Amino acid sequence: MNATWQECKMVGSAISPIQLPRVNQLPAPVLEGRVPVRSLREYVEPPTASRQLFVILARRKWSIVAFAVLGGLLAGLLGSLRPVLYESTTQLIVDAPSRGSLPVGAPSSQDLVDSSIDDHITMLSSQDHLRRVMAALRKTGAAETGQDNSASRNSRLEPSATPPPRTRSLAGGLLDWLWPGADQADNGPQAEDASELRDLRRGMRVGQELRSRVISVAFADDSPARAALVANTFAQVYVDSLAKKRQASDQQELDAITASLPGLQNDLQAAADRLEKYRLSHGAIDQGSADNAARERADLSQQLSMSKADLAAVESRLRYVQGLREHGASLTALAEAIGAPELADLAARQALAPADQELRATMQSKIEQGVDKIAADANIFRAQIAALESRKNILDAVMADTASRLSGLRALEPQVSLLTQRYNELLGRQQDLTRRIGVPSAGISILSAAWPSTIPQTLPAIFLVPPGMILFAILGAMYVTMRNHFDRTFRGEAEAEAVLKVPCVGQIPEAGGMHAKQLRNLVLGERRSAYSRAVTSLLIAAAPNALRARSSYTALVTSSVPQDGGTELAWSLALAGTRLGGRVLLVDLERKGVQLTLEFLHQFSERKNRHSFADYVCNRCDLEGAVARLHEIGIDVMTAAPSDDLLALLSCEDGGKVMADLHATYRIVIINLPSALGQPEAKFLPGWADVVLFAIRWRKTPRTLARGVLELLQGNGSLAIPVGSVLTRVNLKKHAGYRLEDSADLLREQIA
């Protein structure tokens, strides 16, 4: 036996560290009398997203209400701490552009107004304008401070005697309260100016009113009089500065015009003198005579073109007739070429009497006369063309002289006209600038001045409570939803079966602090309680066939961590087993001892056992020496010593023989294994138990931890005995809020 024991130890020490198996494992065998594992959707109807959200919000409604109440309190507190602000508004109106001032091709007047309003709003919000306003406010405050103090005290409104406006936010006030010297850290004028500019910009509001030409300038402050003063000063300083800028620009332009007028006047006088001298030296030029000469030249050109065309036609006929005569053409052909009616008649007669010589001589004489007549016509056309060209040359000379005289005149007249027009424009511009300088205009004016407001701008603190409650209620709902989404624990039977792929045998209600006497009273004393019913139902559901046949039965109880309630479950099952008749044995293999087991042994044991589970298995003592009898509750207890090697015991000893010996004495044997039992020990479990009950603490045990430990127990599918999970310490009231519709709801209905 000792040699075998040493071999077992060597085998146990040679085993490598336990590695987590893969997630996808074969499902464990099903408990006796229980249907195969089903998916979550087979238990209840698939919940919709809206129903899940409703269940989550309904379950944590008080948390959301607490968020809403907190938000309302915070909003009311912040509203009561912030200062009451009064807003005063000054209205400015932009001058409409006149129709005469719009240039040709410019956009519409409305576009010009919109562009001008944008420019004014930008300049009103500029840093330079804010500095001018701050300087004006300081000057006004200094002037009012120098007046009679009694008059200042009797004055109803004394905003100018106050320092420059300061509108402090709640954060700024808290910062001043927590760190009084924060604003005076630099103690320099630049830091003070920057702070005042920031306060002035924070309280100012500039914008266009609808689509009109009106610009509103509003300032909010805790003093109505100071708010009106700042708004009016803000607008007045802008109008005055813009008017001064325009007046200075007009004055500069007027000076330039005044300086340029004498030179322009001299240029105009010189141009007029040159024009007059040219007219006197070249005489008066009639534009009508020049036009007549041009028309006459055009007519001559037309006549010359026609004469040249006629001359070309006559010369062509003459050359044709002469060519026919040179080639010996007949008289008839010559008569047809000349085309005279008389020759045509003679040709017809000669064709009837070809032998008539007198007729032939007459035709030759007429042909000679026709040729001479054509030559004379050609000479007449040549003489006519020569006369027309001579007349044309004379007209060209006259027109060239007229054009030369007119070009000089036309070169001088536009100069005089342009200089005259420019001089008149400058005179008109000078008069206009003189008038504008005398009465300066900024293009924008104050339509309505600001008055101290009697109605505060800020809403009372009570009006901030509903928005704060709504906002924090939404935040609370989001927090509850996100917390539920990231909650990766077990909350129901269907969820446990879907994740662990083993049946969930039952759920054990929460019973407060578990002590030995309290646990005994819950299971045996209060048999109609939910806890007693749940434990008893679990024991019967785990092995209905064995209990029905009144045979011996062994259940192995384990968990992921000690806080999952494995020891409590083992003792509860042992106590419930006493109600079924027969002896009950609880084997607690926690080597360092468990507080609950120690309490039972201390309170109900008649004698302290001196031997351990290993001593009995290794035949170092009999059963009576290893068992502590608790006669008051009817349970025998066997524990493991801290030095016991469970791996060697489970692997080297015949578990079936040991359990057969125990079954001969006990009807129910409950074995409480150490929490998170490793994979090597799990391979030897089939010979030691009939069923494995895996304890999972409700809403505490992480899914990944429970699944990993359960896969270690199953040993890659090598575990042949049934495995079932048990949810422990279930809060029935909170569980009902999940609306999972499982056995926990039935337990709650029983105790209601």
Side-chain angles (χ1 to χ4, degrees), residues 480-722:
V480 167
T481 305
M482 295 300 295
R483 182 178 178 183
N484 182 82
H485 176 73
F486 290 104
D487 184 7
R488 311 307 296 170
T489 58
F490 296 93
R491 289 164 290 189
E493 292 180 354
E495 195 173 52
E497 292 188 1
V499 174
L500 301 178
K501 301 296 188 291
V502 296
C504 184
V505 185
Q507 302 183 65
I508 306 301
E510 184 179 15
M514 284 296 183
H515 301 287
K517 290 184 178 181
Q518 181 183 3
L519 186 61
R520 185 202 57 178
N521 293 333
L522 281 175
V523 178
L524 300 179
E526 302 176 6
R527 298 183 178 182
R528 301 184 61 85
S529 65
Y531 190 90
S532 178
R533 290 177 178 271
V535 172
T536 306
S537 300
L538 172 62
L539 180 63
I540 296 175
N545 295 334
L547 297 177
R548 190 183 305 112
R550 301 185 180 277
S551 60
S552 298
Y553 171 72
T554 302
L556 191 149
V557 179
T558 186
S559 60
S560 301
V561 293
Q563 291 76 16
D564 286 348
T567 303
E568 298 171 4
L569 177 61
W571 275 102
S572 300
L573 292 175
L575 291 172
T578 59
R579 298 178 57 189
L580 301 178
R583 299 181 64 181
V584 178
L585 173 65
L586 175 64
V587 181
D588 193 348
L589 299 182
E590 285 283 357
R591 283 161 290 181
K592 295 183 180 180
V594 181
Q595 182 65 29
L596 184 61
T597 302
L598 295 178
E599 289 182 4
F600 271 102
L601 292 175
H602 177 71
Q603 296 178 12
F604 301 103
S605 176
E606 297 179 355
R607 68 178 181 87
K608 183 178 180 181
N609 59 319
R610 298 179 179 178
H611 299 280
S612 65
F613 174 73
D615 295 335
Y616 170 70
V617 173
C618 296
N619 295 323
R620 290 196 290 267
C621 68
D622 56 1
L623 183 61
E624 293 295 331
V627 170
R629 298 185 181 277
L630 309 182
H631 294 284
E632 185 177 349
I633 59 177
I635 298 177
D636 293 347
V637 180
M638 184 185 300
T639 59
S643 60
D644 290 347
D645 188 355
L646 292 180
L647 177 61
L649 289 175
L650 295 176
S651 60
C652 297
E653 296 296 334
D654 188 1
K657 181 179 179 181
V658 174
M659 298 311 298
D661 293 342
L662 295 178
H663 288 165
T665 306
Y666 299 98
R667 182 183 181 187
I668 298 177
V669 178
I670 306 297
I671 302 176
N672 180 31
L673 285 181
S675 302
L677 188 63
Q679 184 177 0
E681 291 87 344
K683 293 181 179 180
F684 306 103
L685 291 177
W688 294 87
D690 299 324
V691 65
V692 176
L693 298 179
F694 186 63
I696 304 170
R697 187 169 178 179
W698 181 77
R699 285 194 60 190
K700 290 294 183 180
T701 305
R703 297 182 183 180
T704 54
L705 177 62
R707 183 171 54 192
V709 173
L710 186 60
E711 289 170 356
L712 291 175
L713 290 174
Q714 292 176 352
N716 296 327
S718 61
L719 187 62
I721 62 175

Side-chain angles (χ1 to χ4, degrees), residues 2-143:
N2 293 333
T4 305
W5 185 265
Q6 295 297 330
E7 291 177 0
C8 294
K9 286 187 176 180
M10 293 177 61
V11 171
S13 62
I15 296 176
S16 60
I18 302 172
Q19 301 292 333
L20 289 176
R22 294 187 301 271
V23 174
N24 296 327
Q25 300 289 343
L26 295 174
V30 188
L31 295 178
E32 299 182 57
R34 191 171 178 86
V35 297
V37 179
R38 295 173 293 181
S39 62
L40 179 61
R41 294 188 178 182
E42 294 179 353
Y43 283 90
V44 294
E45 296 180 358
T48 60
S50 58
R51 183 179 182 275
Q52 288 181 345
L53 180 61
F54 173 77
V55 170
I56 294 171
L57 297 181
R59 183 174 55 85
R60 302 302 298 272
K61 58 181 179 298
W62 295 116
S63 299
I64 300 176
V65 170
F67 267 88
V69 172
L70 177 62
L73 293 177
L74 290 178
L77 178 61
L78 294 178
S80 61
L81 292 178
R82 63 175 182 168
V84 179
L85 300 179
Y86 295 86
E87 186 178 74
S88 297
T89 304
T90 301
Q91 291 180 326
L92 300 173
I93 185 168
V94 180
D95 296 343
S98 60
R99 295 182 178 273
S101 63
L102 294 177
V104 179
S108 63
S109 59
Q110 183 61 38
D111 294 337
L112 291 177
V113 169
D114 294 341
S115 177
S116 176
I117 289 175
D118 293 339
D119 294 341
H120 284 301
I121 292 176
T122 303
M123 290 187 292
L124 281 167
S125 305
S126 64
Q127 189 81 1
D128 184 56
H129 179 62
L130 290 176
R131 291 186 180 276
R132 289 196 299 269
V133 172
M134 186 177 63
L137 290 172
R138 287 178 177 176
K139 187 182 299 184
T140 304

Side-chain angles (χ1 to χ4, degrees), residues 151-165:
S152 299
R153 286 193 297 267
N154 295 331
S155 177
R156 180 180 180 183
L157 298 177
E158 45 180 8
S160 57
T162 59

Side-chain angles (χ1 to χ4, degrees), residues 18 91 159 195 209 301 384 391 526 723:
I18 302 172
Q91 291 180 326
S195 178
E209 294 189 3
S301 298
Q384 186 179 1
R391 178 62 179 169
E526 302 176 6
V723 179

